[in-house]
Amino acid sequence: MSLTKFKGTKPCTFIVLHRLRMSKQISRALTVSLFSLVLVLTYVKIDSMANPLGQVVNALSDEVMSIRPVQFGFLSELSPSEKAASASGSCALTPSIKLNGTPQQTEGPYFVDKMPNRSDIRSDSSDGSVKKGIPLLLITHVYDVDNGTCVPLSGAKVDIWHTDSQGVYSAVKDMGTSGRNFLRGYQVTDSNGTAEFTTIYPGWYEGRTIHIHDKVRVFNGSETILEWTSQLYFNNSMNQLVHKQAPYSNHGPPQITNEDDIVYSQGSVDGLIDRNSGERLIVNLTKDSVGYIGEFNIVLNADKK
């Protein structure tokens, strides 16, 4: 720096001005350096987090999928026979009655295969005891979609399973019911595609609304060539009414409505319904002299074999 520019300036004044100028330069340099460092660190942070962040999102998605169905597309866990069962269209039962394909829902953790072939599932084979509850005659009609017509599917195996009036399943170790088979069984559909079960109105258990599990399978020898799985529901008002009566009243009123249920409110596992798939799975109930008669139509695609 030339001193001529500051000719006549007192030494102390020159020193002060010099220090001020240097201070501004240093401050500017530090600011630029700090900003650059922030940019570099931000880039490195984002770059290093990109893959782990994706893994976290995927992990969360996997956790959600383990609890509830996805909303769109087939689940990777669905077998070819399960995918084949989904009917995306509708069919005409009569000229004035049309039925939509019935959405599939999660099987749940309590399915047990090779249960008794029986229509009345109230008893337990281990001791002959009979579960108490309001009688329910559940009638399922299974249809195939053939060029827009609902065709009864005969020879299909229909399994159902549900809890007793106190919310307990049979054949579940954690519930103390290993080796028991009450409220489980299967029937084979007749020429009208119908399978009937004499049972009781199911109870509730923590975290779920009242429901009945059902599964339809078609076999070629020992090979499963078609498998449809879902759950059936009842109106909230009926659930409340039933649980005011014995023996249901001992367990108390249902804690969760259909709309608050994580399975009922979500999409179907086959991707046909993006939300509230349970709305299409309500059993049509009528009162009889001893209890209720419930009917439900199951429409699936049995042509893909």
Side-chain angles (χ1 to χ4, degrees), residues 105-143:
Q105 290 191 332
T106 180
E107 179 184 275
Y110 301 128
F111 173 65
V112 179
D113 205 357
K114 300 180 179 179
M115 286 289 107
N117 179 359
R118 57 183 181 173
S119 179
D120 191 334
I121 64 172
R122 293 175 296 179
S123 64
D124 190 276
S125 301
S126 64
D127 57 11
S129 61
V130 177
K131 281 295 176 179
K132 304 296 183 181
I134 296 177
L136 170 65
L137 175 61
L138 180 64
I139 305 172
T140 60
H141 305 287
V142 184
Y143 297 100

Side-chain angles (χ1 to χ4, degrees), residues 1 7 9 19 30 42 108 112 121 124 136 140 150 153 160 165 180 204 211 213-215 288 305:
M1 180 182 293
K7 187 177 180 180
T9 304
R19 289 181 175 177
L30 288 174
T42 301
V112 179
I121 64 172
D124 190 276
L136 170 65
T140 60
C150 301
L153 181 62
I160 73 167
S165 64
R180 308 190 67 184
W204 62 270
H211 59 280
H213 295 269
D214 56 342
K215 182 187 290 288
D288 68 2
K305 299 178 181 178

Side-chain angles (χ1 to χ4, degrees), residues 190-203:
D190 60 19
S191 59
N192 296 316
T194 301
E196 297 186 2
F197 296 90
T198 299
T199 184
I200 62 171
Y201 200 98

Side-chain angles (χ1 to χ4, degrees), residues 39-59:
L39 287 177
V40 171
L41 291 176
T42 301
Y43 175 80
V44 172
K45 185 68 173 178
I46 292 175
D47 184 65
S48 64
M49 287 181 62
N51 190 48
L53 181 59
Q55 293 174 353
V56 170
V57 171
N58 289 335

Side-chain angles (χ1 to χ4, degrees), residues 201 234-244 258 292:
Y201 200 98
F234 305 90
N235 290 326
N236 291 320
S237 57
M238 185 60 65
N239 290 337
Q240 293 290 336
L241 177 62
V242 166
H243 278 73
K244 291 179 180 178
N258 291 335
Y292 296 98

Side-chain angles (χ1 to χ4, degrees), residues 86-194:
S86 294
S88 58
S90 61
C91 59
L93 187 60
T94 66
S96 60
I97 299 178
K98 287 190 176 182
L99 304 177
N100 293 315
T102 312
Q104 297 191 67
Q105 290 191 332
T106 180
E107 179 184 275
Y110 301 128
F111 173 65
V112 179
D113 205 357
K114 300 180 179 179
M115 286 289 107
N117 179 359
R118 57 183 181 173
S119 179
D120 191 334
I121 64 172
R122 293 175 296 179
S123 64
D124 190 276
S125 301
S126 64
D127 57 11
S129 61
V130 177
K131 281 295 176 179
K132 304 296 183 181
I134 296 177
L136 170 65
L137 175 61
L138 180 64
I139 305 172
T140 60
H141 305 287
V142 184
Y143 297 100
D144 176 23
V145 180
D146 184 12
N147 294 322
T149 302
C150 301
V151 179
L153 181 62
S154 62
K157 182 180 181 180
V158 181
D159 281 91
I160 73 167
W161 65 103
H162 63 83
T163 70
D164 65 10
S165 64
Q166 307 303 299
V168 177
Y169 286 99
S170 64
V172 177
K173 181 179 180 181
D174 291 344
M175 295 184 178
T177 58
S178 295
R180 308 190 67 184
N181 59 16
F182 58 82
L183 306 179
R184 293 180 182 269
Y186 79 89
Q187 286 282 276
V188 176
T189 56
D190 60 19
S191 59
N192 296 316
T194 301

Side-chain angles (χ1 to χ4, degrees), residues 111-114 153 155-159 186 215-219 224-229 300:
F111 173 65
V112 179
D113 205 357
K114 300 180 179 179
L153 181 62
K157 182 180 181 180
V158 181
D159 281 91
Y186 79 89
K215 182 187 290 288
V216 179
R217 287 177 288 180
V218 176
F219 298 91
T224 303
I225 58 177
L226 183 142
E227 181 174 356
W228 175 94
T229 305
L300 43 77

